Amino acid sequence: MSVAAQWAGGILNIDLQAIAENYRTLCQTIRQPDVLSASHPLCAAAVKADAYGLDASLVAPVLEDAGCRHFFVAHLAEGVALKPSVKNPESLIFVLHGPPPGTARDLLEAGLVPVINSMEQLTEWRALSHELERRLPAVLQVDSGMARFGMNADEVSKIAADPTLLDGIETVLVMSHLACADTPEVRSNRAQLEEFKRLSALLPKAPRSLAASSGIFLGPDWHFDLVRPGAALYGVNPTPGKPNPVKPVIRLQARVIQTRSIPEGQAVGYGGYFIAPRPSRIALLGIGYGDGFLRSISGQGTAILPSQPDIPLPVIGRVSMDSLAVDVTDLPEGSVRPGDLIDLIGPHNTLDAAATAAGTIGYEFLTDLGRRYHRTYTRNQ
């Protein structure tokens, strides 16, 4: 183990090869061998929020090597930061929030493609096109029922009635986003699908995109020409309640700082949140909510000593900024010592399980993991 790893309170390993394999799995999912078609949907990658906290500058090249040519970020600043890491001249970076007011030229000069969400953004992008006297590429996003980003039905109808509103715009994609894709039984998924079909038919003929990670698993009707997975690439289960079709990507280990024995009735941590129901042994680990290990997991989560994977170690007391406590009473005496590493997320305790214990989803848990960990990246060839 390196000196830097020994210095840290926790180690976060990111398996880049697993990300590449997850991308290929999603590509295979959208290919329908029983459908006679000259082409299949393409698979893009959402690398916003620094590839969900895993470092987009390292993740994007791995996805490019796996065949990805379409990358989605949220902000202009993210796109500019990502650009040096995307080497293939055919690759495109799309900015989901479009150009902030007054930044259309900046976005264009950075070699990015905006997702146009409003008439205001459309007007600014069109004005730049007229100024430069050339057509500019753009993605048009429509609101199919989520009431978040995208032009509403009235705005789409206005464009349909006056096609000159798109003069100078090369529509490279028409897209929308599903609100409830992770709950396939919800009727709004089908309603959004039909509304997306209706609205996109009013716009210039272009490739279409509706499904992100969970939407892929709703079936071929939702695939259209491009799917945009994000969380599924990074190991989050896109089919909650069912076996995870993608591989885990991260392993989070915390270092044991101290062990101690406490009597029955002893309070542990802030607020006396946990009272020992028996004479107990506890291990204090060197990560906390300052590392993005959420405080809401207090009293809910479990940890695993890798050498004893069948014995869950409950997280007890409140998670502090820099530490948390686990109950190691059920382990053989002396099996846990200062300096040992204990899994908080790993082969026997998944990211989704940790997120559920914290009362949240894998997306939030993953993106909250901080920069204080010693990070290691593996890529088996």
Side-chain angles (χ1 to χ4, degrees):
M1 183 180 296
S2 70
V3 171
Q6 289 179 313
W7 290 352
I11 297 175
L12 180 63
N13 178 257
I14 295 98
D15 187 342
L16 295 173
Q17 185 64 27
I19 294 175
E21 291 180 22
N22 289 343
Y23 178 78
R24 296 187 186 101
T25 294
L26 296 170
C27 287
Q28 292 168 2
T29 301
I30 61 175
R31 293 184 183 129
Q32 301 296 319
D34 56 334
V35 176
L36 295 177
S37 173
S39 63
H40 293 289
L42 298 175
C43 190
V47 291
K48 58 186 181 176
D50 201 22
Y52 288 54
L54 301 185
D55 195 335
S57 70
L58 298 177
V59 169
V62 169
L63 290 168
E64 266 199 319
D65 288 347
C68 185
R69 296 294 178 265
H70 301 82
F71 298 89
F72 285 83
V73 297
H75 303 291
L76 170 56
E78 289 183 323
V80 172
L82 180 65
K83 189 69 175 176
S85 302
V86 176
K87 304 295 188 183
N88 193 299
E90 297 180 358
S91 294
L92 298 172
I93 300 173
F94 302 97
V95 180
L96 287 164
H97 290 178
T103 67
R105 185 180 293 273
D106 297 328
L107 192 149
L108 179 66
E109 291 178 352
L112 310 174
V113 180
V115 176
I116 301 298
N117 297 288
S118 67
M119 296 302 290
E120 292 84 1
Q121 290 182 343
L122 178 59
T123 298
E124 184 169 348
W125 198 241
R126 182 168 169 257
L128 180 61
S129 167
H130 290 175
E131 179 184 342
L132 298 176
E133 298 182 340
R134 62 187 175 95
R135 289 167 60 82
L136 300 182
V139 177
L140 301 181
Q141 178 153 214
V142 300
D143 175 18
S144 58
M146 191 176 181
R148 195 175 66 163
F149 294 111
M151 291 177 283
N152 63 32
D154 289 343
E155 292 170 321
V156 174
S157 296
K158 183 178 180 181
I159 292 171
D162 182 6
T164 64
L165 292 173
L166 291 178
D167 280 354
I169 304 298
E170 179 188 355
T171 304
V172 298
L173 184 71
V174 177
M175 65 172 282
S176 190
H177 194 63
L178 293 164
C180 303
D182 58 349
T183 48
E185 68 278 5
V186 173
R187 292 181 180 179
S188 64
N189 289 319
R190 177 64 63 175
Q192 279 197 256
L193 172 64
E194 297 306 322
E195 179 68 353
F196 178 60
K197 289 179 179 178
R198 185 183 76 83
L199 294 177
S200 60
L202 298 175
L203 295 171
K205 185 174 178 60
R208 293 180 291 176
S209 177
L210 180 60
S213 289
S214 293
I216 290 171
F217 293 88
L218 293 176
D221 286 352
W222 281 263
H223 293 168
F224 292 96
D225 303 293
L226 181 78
V227 297
R228 316 179 310 271
L233 294 171
Y234 312 118
V236 175
N237 188 353
T239 59
K242 298 179 180 179
N244 194 345
V246 296
K247 290 188 173 185
V249 168
I250 68 166
R251 183 176 189 176
L252 175 61
Q253 296 184 296
R255 189 175 307 286
V256 177
I257 305 300
Q258 181 182 357
T259 62
R260 63 190 308 153
S261 297
I262 58 174
E264 179 182 350
Q266 173 67 53
V268 175
Y270 283 116
Y273 183 68
F274 174 82
I275 306 295
R278 58 178 176 171
S280 301
R281 287 177 286 113
I282 63 173
L284 302 171
L285 310 184
I287 72 169
Y289 63 75
D291 306 282
F293 198 79
L294 301 176
R295 188 171 184 265
S296 57
I297 208 170
S298 300
Q300 302 297 323
T302 58
I304 294 290
L305 182 67
S307 62
Q308 301 282 345
D310 297 327
I311 302 177
L313 310 176
V315 175
I316 58 173
R318 295 198 188 279
V319 174
S320 303
M321 182 181 293
D322 312 301
S323 65
L324 60 86
V326 295
D327 187 339
V328 298
T329 310
D330 293 335
L331 292 174
E333 185 114 22
S335 59
V336 178
R337 300 178 182 276
D340 288 347
L341 293 172
I342 289 181
D343 282 340
L344 292 170
I345 298 172
H348 304 283
N349 193 29
T350 68
L351 170 62
D352 289 293
T356 298
T360 186
I361 57 175
Y363 295 63
E364 180 184 16
F365 210 109
L366 185 61
T367 55
D368 277 351
L369 295 177
R371 304 298 303 186
R372 195 158 56 162
Y373 301 111
H374 175 73
R375 292 185 171 216
T376 62
Y377 290 83
T378 56
R379 186 178 184 185
N380 299 321
Q381 299 296 334

